[in-house]
Amino acid sequence: MAGKSMQSLVEELRAKKERLFEGGGPDRLAKQKEQGKLTARERVTALVDDESFEEFGLFAQHRQAGFGMAGKEVPADGVVTGAASIDGRLIHLASQDFTVLGGSAGEVHSLKVAEVMHRSLSTGSPFVFINDSGGARVQEGIDSLSGYGQVFYANVLLSGAVPQVSLICGPCAGGASYSPALTDFIIQTRKAQMFITGPQVIKQVTGEEITADALGGADAHMAHSGVIHFVAEDDEEAVHICRRLISFLPSNNLEEPPRLPTDGNVDPNPKLNDILPTDPKKGYDVRDLIAGIVDQGDLLEVQSGYAMNMVVGFARILGRSIGIIANQPLVLSGAIDINAANKAARFIRFCNAFNIPTITFVDVPGYLPGVEQEYGGIIRNGAKLLFAYSAASVPKIQVILRKSYGGAHVAMCSKDLGADCSFAWPTAEVAVMGAEGAVEIVFRKEMQEAENKAERRAELIAQYREAFASPYVAAGRRLVDDIIEPANTRRHLAQALEYLQNKRDQRPPKKHGLIPL
Ligand code: HXC
């Protein structure tokens, strides 16, 4: 360096940086754009606050010699990593650059990702991983596998300590899909595919023929596998969802979620008094009801296209983040099946890990009957819901809207599972089962012996309904704390959240409980 002026050194540095910023070069960047995708760096710019990105490891280089890699410059080793802010709050991120060796994960690539994840942990800030990669860098063999292993290990270390969000914006195949799978939320664009084994391997092994999109596209993962949490049309929408999601979350498990300014409005909403159909057998969209209660009617629904009989998502009441879990009477009458139990249990555990109170809206006829459900393990999977609620120590509030029957009544955050507060609408029916079913069991003999069977049956059903299908018996047993007017639900919830904000819940010390996986 001797003899070079600072100015020439700076110019040299700038030129080097310019070259590295170009990733795989103009042609490959142009190809990326032709596919309607942003580049790795554009995604970072779109995601974070203006001018907030501080990059680490731009000059990192691989150390492979074989397969033509010796002396080959691989800009940033195919992944942009660093710190930035979203709405002024620190995050750490990694963004794979498909223009550089197909975004493939070499050893140094993965070590960069793992390092920035450790920095997320040490600074208590969320980690966002933007995936766009052909998977393990084939030229680097087992070194690249080892790198993946370090990323997976870091994912687990961060789990429950800082929120982790994955964006899938391009290919994410093979073992590469397991880092996203270990994170809390996956946002996939309609231009991306994710699978363990692709269509060609599947055809060779099982003979099945399927396109990459039908196998691992965003819609497939939303509707069938339940692997992802949000579908985005494109990269711009994916980063928008990510920013919105993070706005509800604390930066780490030791913080409370950020509270937004509020006008304190808890005026009654008379529309809620008319939202339930008069016919108790008719469905309605529970999301309309939620919209009538939460701030600005704004619900960020999670997994909106999966197990639609259960609605989960984030919202706010008086600026406070809440996690909502609600039966959806429009789908399967709101019955709980395996997928719904898994979806809700996972969401509840996330809320609990990150100090987000849960509000559960109940309108459930029971667990879904059927051979498929029993063989699929509704016992084990349904138990996850019981486990997640019972283990959650955040404030837990229950609102019983209509049906709350049997095991499903207990499962939907009953007071017996530790709800701090249970409200019921006057339409609530808390019972061991529906009146029709109950009468068949209890009065079968009496009905058989009756002269007019149908008439007697109707009488008995009416009697049973009168006796049990209301919130008053449950309130009498203190299974419900108060019966409220629907229009005033927001005020009651706002107050309960206020009173419960300093809740502390003592649990016996142990390594961890054993959720029935
Ligand atoms: C090295 C790779 C690569 C990889 C792609 N490239 N994947 N280089 N290792 N894994 C390179 C290509 O050679 C090409 O370089 C450039 O990236 C762009 O790739 P294309 O194939 O031209 O792009 P496209 O047609 O869009 O196809 C994308 C793709 C395809 C579907 C991802 O590249 C592909 O199938 N790649 C291999 C996927 C794979 O089998 N990965 C290994 C999985 S094993 P040039 O210079 O020719 O343009 C794995 C194990 C992990 O991941 C286990 C962890 C526990």
Side-chain angles (χ1 to χ4, degrees), residues 105-356:
E107 176 201 20
V108 171
H109 174 117
S110 289
L111 293 183
K112 277 181 67 179
V113 176
E115 184 180 36
V116 83
M117 292 172 78
H118 285 282
R119 233 184 265 208
S120 237
L121 187 61
S122 63
T123 57
S125 53
F127 174 64
V128 179
F129 193 0
I130 305 175
N131 289 255
D132 188 357
S133 165
R137 188 175 297 158
V138 177
Q139 296 90 325
E140 299 200 22
I142 54 169
D143 290 336
S144 103
L145 287 188
S146 165
Y148 266 126
Q150 297 210 23
V151 172
F152 302 158
Y153 188 81
N155 279 132
V156 176
L157 218 53
L158 268 60
S159 181
V162 294
Q164 301 182 78
V165 183
S166 300
L167 276 62
I168 315 296
C169 298
C172 182
S177 53
Y178 280 122
S179 174
L182 290 166
T183 62
D184 304 316
F185 296 101
I186 302 180
I187 305 163
Q188 183 176 356
T189 74
R190 285 216 162 87
K191 299 181 193 301
Q193 287 99 30
M194 184 166 43
F195 34 69
I196 295 291
T197 48
Q200 285 163 5
V201 177
I202 290 184
K203 191 174 173 198
Q204 277 168 10
V205 176
T206 70
E208 293 162 297
E209 289 194 39
I210 188 161
T211 64
D213 217 38
L215 181 68
D219 293 309
H221 280 307
M222 177 57 82
H224 301 304
S225 71
V227 163
I228 68 165
H229 302 87
F230 300 95
V231 174
E233 210 51 55
D234 51 25
D235 293 338
E236 283 89 350
E237 195 185 355
V239 296
H240 172 73
I241 294 170
C242 182
R243 286 180 66 97
R244 191 157 168 239
L245 172 63
I246 284 179
S247 77
F248 286 98
L249 314 181
S251 295
N252 59 67
N253 64 326
L254 302 178
E255 284 183 9
E256 298 295 319
R259 189 169 179 189
L260 294 193
T262 170
D263 60 6
N265 179 9
V266 288
D267 289 347
N269 177 0
K271 281 191 199 147
L272 291 172
N273 285 340
D274 302 320
I275 211 155
L276 296 188
T278 34
D279 177 355
K281 287 209 171 82
K282 271 212 171 127
Y284 58 93
D285 193 337
V286 76
R287 291 171 300 187
D288 294 339
L289 189 148
I290 295 164
I293 293 171
V294 301
D295 292 359
Q296 285 87 46
D298 186 26
L299 170 73
L300 176 61
E301 200 178 341
V302 175
Q303 293 192 300
S304 63
Y306 182 72
M308 291 189 280
N309 40 335
M310 186 76 84
V311 171
V312 302
F314 297 105
R316 295 186 178 89
I317 290 185
L318 295 187
R320 284 196 168 94
S321 289
I322 48 171
I324 289 187
I325 302 99
N327 307 117
Q328 171 59 291
L330 276 189
V331 181
L332 296 174
S333 306
I336 301 171
D337 64 355
I338 291 170
N339 293 348
N342 277 317
K343 172 177 168 178
R346 178 174 169 141
F347 182 72
I348 294 158
R349 282 166 71 79
F350 178 84
C351 290
N352 189 48
F354 291 105
N355 312 318
I356 300 170

